[in-house]
Structures are given as C-alpha cells and as structure tokens.
Amino acid sequence: MSGRTLRIHSCAIHYFDMVRRCRSIREAARRLNVASSAVNRQILKIEDEIGTSLFERLPGGLRLTLAGEALSRHVSLVLQDLERVRLEFDALRGLQSGHVEIATVEGATVDLLPAVLKRMRDLYPQVTIGVTVQGSQAIPQALTSNRADLGLAFALPRAAEIRQLSVGHFRLGALVSPGHPLADRGSVNFATCAEHGLILAKSELSIHHLLMPLHKRLGLVDKPPLQSNSMELARQMVRHGLGVAFQTRIGVEADLAHGALVHIPLSDQGGIYSDLGLYARSGRDLPGAVEALAHLLDEEIGIRQRAECTGRQPVLNVDQLRKL
C-alpha cells in the first residue's frame, strides 16, 4: 500500500502472506498485481523446500496445514518487524503534515481505531485526523464522494468504485449477559437465540443483512420487538436482560475481557463470518498521511484476526503492540 514498500525479504514471504490472508491464490495475485502463476510458483517453491504442503486445497478456498500455520507465525513476525522498520524510517525522514478523513463503523471506534490513532499520533504528530461514524452501507458513498479517504466497514459487497486495502475475518456471535441461560454454551444457533428474544440491527448495518436469511427461515415475518442502528445501545439492552444481540468480537473487547458480556459463536451454516475491510476509492493515489494510517490499520486488523483464530482476545494497548 505504500509508495516506498520495503522488499528486503524474499517475495515468496509476501506472496505466502497474501495467500494466507485471502485464502485464494487468484485473489492474492489480484491484490499483488501479479499473475496467479507467479504466486502459485512461489508457494510451490516453499513447499518443495520444506518438503510438505502449506495449504489444503478445499472447494471453499485454501486452508493452512499445520506446517502452513507454523510458517504463518514466523512470516507474521518478520513482516511486523519489517513494517516497524519502515515506519521508523518514515518518522526519521519526517512525514509532511497532512489530513486524513476516515469513515468507520461504530464497532471499530471502541478499541481498534483508538489503538491505531494513538500509534499514528506517536509516529506522525503533525497529521490531523477526522473520524465519522456511519453504518457499513453508507461508507462506499462517503469514499466515492471524497468525504472520506479511508473506510472501515463490515461485509461490503465487491464494487468497482472502491478497492479493498485490507480485510480481517471475524465470526458473528450472540451477545448475552454472564447470567443468561445461554452463557455457558460453546456455540448456539439462531433459532435458540430467538427463544430468548432478539435484538436485531437495522438495515443500514451489515449484520442485518447477514442475519436476515436466518430470520426468514424461522418464519419470523414480523419485526422483532427490539431493533437499533446503534451497536452500543444493543449492548446496553443485553446488559439489561432485554434479549440477545449479535455482532463480532470487534467493539466488545473490553466487555469480554472484564466479563460484562459473553460472546457465543453462531453455529448456523457452520459459522457466520463478517469481514472487516479497509477501503479507499478506486483509482486514487493515496497521499502519504493516508498511506501511513492505512498501514497501521492493516496491521491492527491482522493482529485482531490472529488473536481470534488462536482463541486469545486481548485488549491491546500501544505498549502491548510494541512488544508483539
């Protein structure tokens, strides 16, 4: 994403990392702007060197093998260190003052975005930043109309007008209070949640569209008793015992860490995932300040996704990030 990308390490590492994140050689090649055959060749080269497969080829995409997971941990550390070096070089050169406008979903403002903004301020104190909170469905328009430089949104469909700079896959789950009858379950289906009262998102939020097929399948044609376009209000209603709300772990990090809420993954369809993506308008060359913030957001999204995959859900602050 940077005009001054460091390529100190073999391109095979960068190719492997992109395939790991996209779970697709074709999609990785598209984002890297190289031929699929070039990406596949690098993956095969690594597999030949270590003597085993890195990915399982499944109908739904690629999945890391045990060897792939081991290499992924190493590659993540290497690329994080490389990115830190690049940012230090930027800081030493002195990034020119600039301004960044970001349109974001509410969930990212609770913990993820503040952590990134703190790092941005430490590295580039002359850059000013404006933040507007919107539903995912409104963010593409903010980008195409130039009201925002970057957009953080869940589950956006692919569109020619915007390009995806980064993405993290996060599992959708039911939110309940610790004393709720469902709180001790490892997973739960939507129908069981409906027996305890539903708190659903309004149509401007992406979760509404992810859950609507389940809602219709149950024959619940009437509106649920409680709907909101505010995830914070939904969480407050859960705390007051008014029903079951739904979202990813993004935005409830502190509540989960303190035991104020419980997140139970939905089991429908083998698990429902909502992708948190970082977006910009297609065809636009991003200014240096926007690139810098995009890099930090990309790194943070990756940290959160890896934490979810390993079962760890830390509330990350700047000092913890520097130790990773």
Side-chain angles (χ1 to χ4, degrees):
M1 287 187 296
S2 173
R4 196 184 289 270
T5 302
L6 294 181
R7 292 288 181 181
I8 296 174
H9 297 278
S10 166
C11 65
I13 288 180
H14 296 274
Y15 286 12
F16 168 79
D17 182 62
M18 187 61 74
V19 172
R20 173 189 67 80
R21 293 165 59 188
C22 297
R23 297 182 288 188
S24 163
I25 287 178
R26 180 178 297 179
E27 177 62 17
R30 185 186 71 81
R31 296 192 195 181
L32 291 165
N33 197 29
V34 298
S36 296
S37 59
V39 176
N40 190 53
R41 189 162 52 247
Q42 292 295 336
I43 298 300
L44 292 175
K45 179 181 176 182
I46 301 175
E47 291 180 332
D48 182 62
E49 289 180 359
I50 66 176
T52 188
S53 298
L54 296 172
F55 297 96
E56 294 181 61
R57 275 69 173 179
L58 303 174
L62 302 180
R63 183 171 68 188
L64 287 171
T65 62
L66 291 177
E69 290 177 357
L71 180 61
S72 178
R73 289 190 291 271
H74 167 71
V75 166
S76 295
L77 291 173
V78 168
L79 294 180
Q80 286 174 26
D81 286 342
L82 186 61
E83 176 61 13
R84 276 192 284 269
V85 170
R86 191 197 67 78
L87 291 172
E88 288 176 8
F89 287 164
D90 281 349
L92 288 173
R93 284 192 301 269
L95 189 70
Q96 290 183 351
S97 61
H99 182 76
V100 185
E101 281 290 333
I102 179 167
T104 179
V105 291
E106 184 182 14
T109 67
V110 177
D111 191 75
L112 187 154
L113 189 55
V116 171
L117 295 181
K118 177 62 168 65
R119 294 186 66 201
M120 187 73 180
R121 176 56 57 88
D122 289 344
L123 287 165
Y124 309 113
Q126 297 182 29
V127 173
T128 58
I129 299 172
V131 179
T132 301
V133 179
Q134 297 179 283
S136 286
Q137 306 304 307
I139 287 177
Q141 177 61 28
L143 294 172
T144 57
S145 64
N146 293 321
R147 295 197 309 273
D149 301 297
L150 297 172
L152 267 177
F154 278 109
L156 283 186
R158 186 169 295 178
E161 297 80 11
I162 60 174
R163 60 187 173 109
Q164 189 179 78
L165 306 178
S166 179
V167 65
H169 310 286
F170 301 96
R171 191 164 181 179
L172 200 63
L175 280 183
V176 298
S177 60
H180 194 277
L182 301 176
D184 60 350
R185 297 202 179 191
S187 64
V188 67
N189 60 41
F190 187 76
T192 301
C193 294
E195 297 172 3
H196 296 269
L198 298 175
I199 302 170
L200 296 185
K202 286 194 169 185
S203 60
E204 54 263 45
L205 302 184
S206 61
I207 293 176
H208 170 91
H209 303 279
L210 290 173
L211 293 180
M212 186 50 62
L214 302 180
H215 194 258
K216 289 182 177 179
R217 194 173 303 150
L218 288 178
L220 302 175
V221 294
D222 296 331
K223 288 184 179 179
L226 294 171
Q227 289 181 299
S228 174
N229 67 351
S230 167
M231 299 313 299
E232 175 56 32
L233 177 58
R235 290 191 290 273
Q236 292 295 341
M237 288 192 282
V238 169
R239 293 187 186 99
H240 284 79
L242 297 178
V244 181
F246 303 89
Q247 69 174 93
T248 68
R249 290 178 177 267
I250 299 296
V252 291
E253 296 92 343
D255 284 330
L256 297 178
H258 299 150
L261 291 174
V262 177
H263 183 273
I264 313 166
L266 285 174
S267 58
D268 302 85
Q269 304 170 9
I272 301 175
Y273 288 82
S274 184
D275 291 348
L276 177 63
L278 176 64
Y279 300 89
R281 179 170 60 83
S282 294
R284 182 189 177 195
D285 291 329
L286 301 182
V290 178
E291 284 278 6
L293 181 56
H295 270 297
L296 295 179
L297 285 165
D298 174 61
E299 185 178 66
E300 183 69 18
I301 290 171
I303 289 171
R304 303 291 169 124
Q305 178 177 276
R306 287 190 294 275
E308 178 161 308
C309 291
T310 57
R312 297 180 295 105
Q313 295 303 323
V315 177
L316 297 173
N317 57 40
V318 175
D319 291 333
Q320 289 171 320
L321 284 168
R322 286 172 175 162
K323 294 176 183 177
L324 291 176

